[in-house]
PDB file of all heavy atoms in Angstrom:
ATOM      1  N   ARG T   3     175.465 103.799  58.407  1.00 75.00           N
ATOM      2  CA  ARG T   3     174.729 105.082  58.550  1.00 75.00           C
ATOM      3  C   ARG T   3     173.495 105.028  57.645  1.00 75.00           C
ATOM      4  O   ARG T   3     173.570 104.646  56.480  1.00 75.00           O
ATOM      5  CB  ARG T   3     175.605 106.274  58.167  1.00 75.00           C
ATOM      6  CG  ARG T   3     176.798 106.461  59.084  1.00 75.00           C
ATOM      7  CD  ARG T   3     177.580 107.697  58.713  1.00 75.00           C
ATOM      8  NE  ARG T   3     178.805 107.864  59.477  1.00 75.00           N
ATOM      9  CZ  ARG T   3     178.847 108.432  60.680  1.00 75.00           C
ATOM     10  NH1 ARG T   3     177.713 108.909  61.191  1.00 75.00           N
ATOM     11  NH2 ARG T   3     179.982 108.512  61.392  1.00 75.00           N
ATOM     12  N   LEU T  81     149.538  89.997  76.221  1.00 95.00           N
ATOM     13  CA  LEU T  81     149.466  91.377  75.807  1.00 95.00           C
ATOM     14  C   LEU T  81     148.553  91.555  74.608  1.00 95.00           C
ATOM     15  O   LEU T  81     147.765  92.532  74.558  1.00 95.00           O
ATOM     16  CB  LEU T  81     150.863  91.871  75.428  1.00 95.00           C
ATOM     17  CG  LEU T  81     150.978  93.322  74.943  1.00 95.00           C
ATOM     18  CD1 LEU T  81     150.503  94.322  76.010  1.00 95.00           C
ATOM     19  CD2 LEU T  81     152.409  93.657  74.585  1.00 95.00           C
ATOM     20  N   GLY T 119     171.677  92.217  58.214  1.00 97.00           N
ATOM     21  CA  GLY T 119     172.432  92.088  56.957  1.00 97.00           C
ATOM     22  C   GLY T 119     173.164  93.360  56.572  1.00 97.00           C
ATOM     23  O   GLY T 119     174.326  93.328  56.086  1.00 97.00           O
ATOM     24  N   PRO T 145     152.451  82.490  61.470  1.00 90.00           N
ATOM     25  CA  PRO T 145     151.146  82.934  62.023  1.00 90.00           C
ATOM     26  C   PRO T 145     150.095  81.833  62.108  1.00 90.00           C
ATOM     27  O   PRO T 145     149.097  82.025  62.782  1.00 90.00           O
ATOM     28  CB  PRO T 145     150.726  84.022  61.036  1.00 90.00           C
ATOM     29  CG  PRO T 145     152.013  84.561  60.496  1.00 90.00           C
ATOM     30  CD  PRO T 145     152.909  83.362  60.353  1.00 90.00           C
ATOM     31  N   PHE T 162     171.432  89.605  67.657  1.00 98.00           N
ATOM     32  CA  PHE T 162     172.667  89.530  66.835  1.00 98.00           C
ATOM     33  C   PHE T 162     172.803  90.769  65.991  1.00 98.00           C
ATOM     34  O   PHE T 162     173.898  91.160  65.625  1.00 98.00           O
ATOM     35  CB  PHE T 162     172.677  88.287  66.018  1.00 98.00           C
ATOM     36  CG  PHE T 162     173.185  87.086  66.794  1.00 98.00           C
ATOM     37  CD1 PHE T 162     172.321  86.192  67.374  1.00 98.00           C
ATOM     38  CD2 PHE T 162     174.545  86.895  67.013  1.00 98.00           C
ATOM     39  CE1 PHE T 162     172.770  85.091  68.128  1.00 98.00           C
ATOM     40  CE2 PHE T 162     175.018  85.813  67.715  1.00 98.00           C
ATOM     41  CZ  PHE T 162     174.139  84.922  68.306  1.00 98.00           C
ATOM     42  N   TRP T 169     179.967  95.556  67.220  1.00 95.00           N
ATOM     43  CA  TRP T 169     181.281  95.374  66.616  1.00 95.00           C
ATOM     44  C   TRP T 169     181.598  96.492  65.620  1.00 95.00           C
ATOM     45  O   TRP T 169     182.761  96.900  65.526  1.00 95.00           O
ATOM     46  CB  TRP T 169     181.328  94.017  65.857  1.00 95.00           C
ATOM     47  CG  TRP T 169     181.438  92.851  66.819  1.00 95.00           C
ATOM     48  CD1 TRP T 169     180.559  91.884  67.064  1.00 95.00           C
ATOM     49  CD2 TRP T 169     182.613  92.522  67.622  1.00 95.00           C
ATOM     50  NE1 TRP T 169     181.049  90.971  67.955  1.00 95.00           N
ATOM     51  CE2 TRP T 169     182.325  91.327  68.330  1.00 95.00           C
ATOM     52  CE3 TRP T 169     183.811  93.146  67.812  1.00 95.00           C
ATOM     53  CZ2 TRP T 169     183.189  90.732  69.187  1.00 95.00           C
ATOM     54  CZ3 TRP T 169     184.746  92.538  68.709  1.00 95.00           C
ATOM     55  CH2 TRP T 169     184.439  91.380  69.401  1.00 95.00           C
ATOM     56  N   ARG T 170     180.612  96.984  64.902  1.00 93.00           N
ATOM     57  CA  ARG T 170     180.905  98.022  63.891  1.00 93.00           C
ATOM     58  C   ARG T 170     181.187  99.341  64.537  1.00 93.00           C
ATOM     59  O   ARG T 170     182.019 100.124  64.065  1.00 93.00           O
ATOM     60  CB  ARG T 170     179.718  98.100  62.931  1.00 93.00           C
ATOM     61  CG  ARG T 170     179.446  96.853  62.104  1.00 93.00           C
ATOM     62  CD  ARG T 170     180.588  96.564  61.155  1.00 93.00           C
ATOM     63  NE  ARG T 170     180.284  95.331  60.381  1.00 93.00           N
ATOM     64  CZ  ARG T 170     180.769  94.129  60.602  1.00 93.00           C
ATOM     65  NH1 ARG T 170     181.556  93.971  61.671  1.00 93.00           N
ATOM     66  NH2 ARG T 170     180.479  93.104  59.857  1.00 93.00           N
ATOM     67  N   GLN T 220     184.745  95.684  79.689  1.00 96.00           N
ATOM     68  CA  GLN T 220     183.546  96.515  79.719  1.00 96.00           C
ATOM     69  C   GLN T 220     182.471  96.011  78.815  1.00 96.00           C
ATOM     70  O   GLN T 220     181.239  95.984  79.185  1.00 96.00           O
ATOM     71  CB  GLN T 220     183.920  97.975  79.382  1.00 96.00           C
ATOM     72  CG  GLN T 220     184.776  98.694  80.409  1.00 96.00           C
ATOM     73  CD  GLN T 220     185.301 100.045  79.874  1.00 96.00           C
ATOM     74  OE1 GLN T 220     185.339 100.309  78.698  1.00 96.00           O
ATOM     75  NE2 GLN T 220     185.630 100.889  80.842  1.00 96.00           N
ATOM     76  N   ALA T 230     171.239  89.807  82.551  1.00 97.00           N
ATOM     77  CA  ALA T 230     170.822  89.384  83.920  1.00 97.00           C
ATOM     78  C   ALA T 230     169.689  90.256  84.404  1.00 97.00           C
ATOM     79  O   ALA T 230     168.751  89.801  85.034  1.00 97.00           O
ATOM     80  CB  ALA T 230     171.998  89.445  84.874  1.00 97.00           C
ATOM     81  N   VAL T 260     165.027  62.061  76.763  1.00 94.00           N
ATOM     82  CA  VAL T 260     164.669  61.573  75.424  1.00 94.00           C
ATOM     83  C   VAL T 260     165.854  61.705  74.469  1.00 94.00           C
ATOM     84  O   VAL T 260     166.212  60.816  73.727  1.00 94.00           O
ATOM     85  CB  VAL T 260     163.450  62.318  74.841  1.00 94.00           C
ATOM     86  CG1 VAL T 260     163.182  61.882  73.404  1.00 94.00           C
ATOM     87  CG2 VAL T 260     162.249  62.042  75.726  1.00 94.00           C
ATOM     88  N   MET T 273     161.708  56.454  71.134  1.00 93.00           N
ATOM     89  CA  MET T 273     161.815  56.069  72.546  1.00 93.00           C
ATOM     90  C   MET T 273     160.592  55.249  72.960  1.00 93.00           C
ATOM     91  O   MET T 273     160.746  54.190  73.631  1.00 93.00           O
ATOM     92  CB  MET T 273     161.906  57.318  73.435  1.00 93.00           C
ATOM     93  CG  MET T 273     161.867  57.054  74.922  1.00 93.00           C
ATOM     94  SD  MET T 273     161.451  58.480  75.913  1.00 93.00           S
ATOM     95  CE  MET T 273     159.673  58.710  75.488  1.00 93.00           C
ATOM     96  N   ILE T 281     155.948  49.423  78.438  1.00 92.00           N
ATOM     97  CA  ILE T 281     154.764  50.306  78.616  1.00 92.00           C
ATOM     98  C   ILE T 281     153.522  49.453  78.667  1.00 92.00           C
ATOM     99  O   ILE T 281     152.650  49.618  79.557  1.00 92.00           O
ATOM    100  CB  ILE T 281     154.660  51.316  77.444  1.00 92.00           C
ATOM    101  CG1 ILE T 281     155.870  52.266  77.443  1.00 92.00           C
ATOM    102  CG2 ILE T 281     153.377  52.124  77.559  1.00 92.00           C
ATOM    103  CD1 ILE T 281     155.979  53.066  76.187  1.00 92.00           C
ATOM    104  N   THR T 353     160.670  72.183  58.359  1.00 85.00           N
ATOM    105  CA  THR T 353     159.361  72.024  59.024  1.00 85.00           C
ATOM    106  C   THR T 353     158.265  72.350  58.079  1.00 85.00           C
ATOM    107  O   THR T 353     158.353  73.283  57.222  1.00 85.00           O
ATOM    108  CB  THR T 353     159.282  72.893  60.268  1.00 85.00           C
ATOM    109  OG1 THR T 353     158.007  72.722  60.914  1.00 85.00           O
ATOM    110  CG2 THR T 353     159.449  74.372  59.921  1.00 85.00           C
ATOM    111  N   LEU T 354     157.166  71.617  58.116  1.00 80.00           N
ATOM    112  CA  LEU T 354     156.051  71.753  57.211  1.00 80.00           C
ATOM    113  C   LEU T 354     154.903  72.612  57.784  1.00 80.00           C
ATOM    114  O   LEU T 354     153.844  72.650  57.245  1.00 80.00           O
ATOM    115  CB  LEU T 354     155.511  70.407  56.791  1.00 80.00           C
ATOM    116  CG  LEU T 354     156.531  69.457  56.131  1.00 80.00           C
ATOM    117  CD1 LEU T 354     155.850  68.156  55.755  1.00 80.00           C
ATOM    118  CD2 LEU T 354     157.145  70.103  54.910  1.00 80.00           C
ATOM    119  N   PRO T 360     153.272  65.910  52.003  1.00 75.00           N
ATOM    120  CA  PRO T 360     154.709  65.907  51.628  1.00 75.00           C
ATOM    121  C   PRO T 360     155.033  67.028  50.652  1.00 75.00           C
ATOM    122  O   PRO T 360     154.271  67.326  49.761  1.00 75.00           O
ATOM    123  CB  PRO T 360     154.869  64.528  50.951  1.00 75.00           C
ATOM    124  CG  PRO T 360     153.723  63.696  51.370  1.00 75.00           C
ATOM    125  CD  PRO T 360     152.607  64.644  51.570  1.00 75.00           C
ATOM    126  N   MET T 406     172.036  68.271  70.055  1.00 94.00           N
ATOM    127  CA  MET T 406     172.673  66.990  69.935  1.00 94.00           C
ATOM    128  C   MET T 406     172.434  66.112  71.168  1.00 94.00           C
ATOM    129  O   MET T 406     172.358  64.883  71.119  1.00 94.00           O
ATOM    130  CB  MET T 406     174.157  67.127  69.682  1.00 94.00           C
ATOM    131  CG  MET T 406     174.514  67.614  68.291  1.00 94.00           C
ATOM    132  SD  MET T 406     176.253  68.068  68.119  1.00 94.00           S
ATOM    133  CE  MET T 406     177.069  66.468  68.445  1.00 94.00           C
ATOM    134  N   ALA T 445     193.085  96.277  29.195  1.00 63.00           N
ATOM    135  CA  ALA T 445     194.145  97.265  29.117  1.00 63.00           C
ATOM    136  C   ALA T 445     193.611  98.569  28.454  1.00 63.00           C
ATOM    137  O   ALA T 445     192.743  98.507  27.581  1.00 63.00           O
ATOM    138  CB  ALA T 445     195.299  96.752  28.247  1.00 63.00           C
ATOM    139  N   PRO T 451     197.811 110.393  19.222  1.00 59.00           N
ATOM    140  CA  PRO T 451     198.786 111.501  19.279  1.00 59.00           C
ATOM    141  C   PRO T 451     198.115 112.835  19.227  1.00 59.00           C
ATOM    142  O   PRO T 451     197.058 113.013  18.609  1.00 59.00           O
ATOM    143  CB  PRO T 451     199.670 111.278  18.015  1.00 59.00           C
ATOM    144  CG  PRO T 451     198.797 110.462  17.116  1.00 59.00           C
ATOM    145  CD  PRO T 451     197.958 109.610  18.024  1.00 59.00           C
TER     146      PRO T 451
END
Side-chain angles (χ1 to χ4, degrees):
R3 296 182 184 276
L81 178 62
F162 278 97
W169 283 114
R170 296 295 181 260
Q220 290 173 339
V260 175
M273 174 199 70
I281 298 168
T353 181
L354 302 180
M406 286 170 63

